[in-house]
Amino acid sequence: DAGVIQSPRHEVTEMGQEVTLRCKPISGHNSLFWYRQTMMRGLELLIYFNNNVPIDDSGMPEDRFSAKMPNASFSTLKIQPSEPRDSAVYFCATGEREQFFGPGTRLTVL
Amino acid sequence: KNEVEQSPQNLTAQEGEFITINCSYSVGISALHWLQQHPGGGIVSLFMLSSGKKKHGRLIATINIQEKHSSLHITASHPRDSAVYICAGSYGGSQGNLIFGKGTKLSVKP
């Protein structure tokens, strides 16, 4: 297995644009997590899914953020419209006990 | 409020030294995770423990449930151990609901 795959690895966009981050989890795990990491706040859980169903989205900062998991092998995190304060590294992870992290997407909103 | 605190924030050591990083949490957790983030940004899960002690190579993690405290020890430290070490607590009965510490930046000098 190639591990958790995220795309793109880097994204630079302008304020107001829609951003879509993608994640392909490791097969065989039922849980998928989206995290955000910033210098100020460190790592934060945004949302997690179990069996493709969102279980806890209390970490999603506001309505501009949405996440979907249409099937067990794919998830998206969308920001619309993006703002400069959304600049961060976004990680996807999977695993019910030990967590396996993707390489992250570094998002810069100008 | 659930909180996870780490100390020290930064740590510089000479190669070969024994290193200890501490983690305290405010309320009961179901499990405690130790993660390693490399300078390139990738995050690797080192340990997940709910009691006692775990060992993997030169790394040892301990947890004291009564004192709400965990430690990560590195024996015979090496420059390749230089990284940010992050502890996180699983809350709410779900392994995915992680609250993260701010991390300890370790630099091991040759």
Side-chain angles (χ1 to χ4, degrees), chain A residues 22-38:
Chain A
R22 297 173 175 79
C23 175
K24 183 181 187 312
I26 298 172
S27 60
H29 293 281
N30 298 327
S31 299
L32 182 138
F33 311 92
W34 282 100
Y35 298 105
R36 178 172 68 175
Q37 186 177 38
T38 61

Side-chain angles (χ1 to χ4, degrees), chain B residues 24-76:
Chain B
S24 298
Y25 48 93
S26 58
V27 293
I29 61 172
S30 55
L32 192 289
H33 300 250
W34 282 101
L35 310 171
Q36 179 191 55
Q37 186 166 29
H38 297 287
I43 299 176
V44 175
S45 176
L46 298 175
F47 296 103
M48 191 191 84
L49 65 166
S50 52
S51 65
K53 179 170 82 173
K54 287 190 176 180
K55 184 175 187 292
H56 185 253
R58 295 179 295 105
L59 302 178
I60 303 167
T62 64
I63 188 168
N64 184 318
I65 300 298
Q66 286 71 31
E67 295 185 4
K68 298 185 178 60
H69 181 268
S70 176
S71 293
L72 177 69
H73 305 285
I74 304 175
T75 62

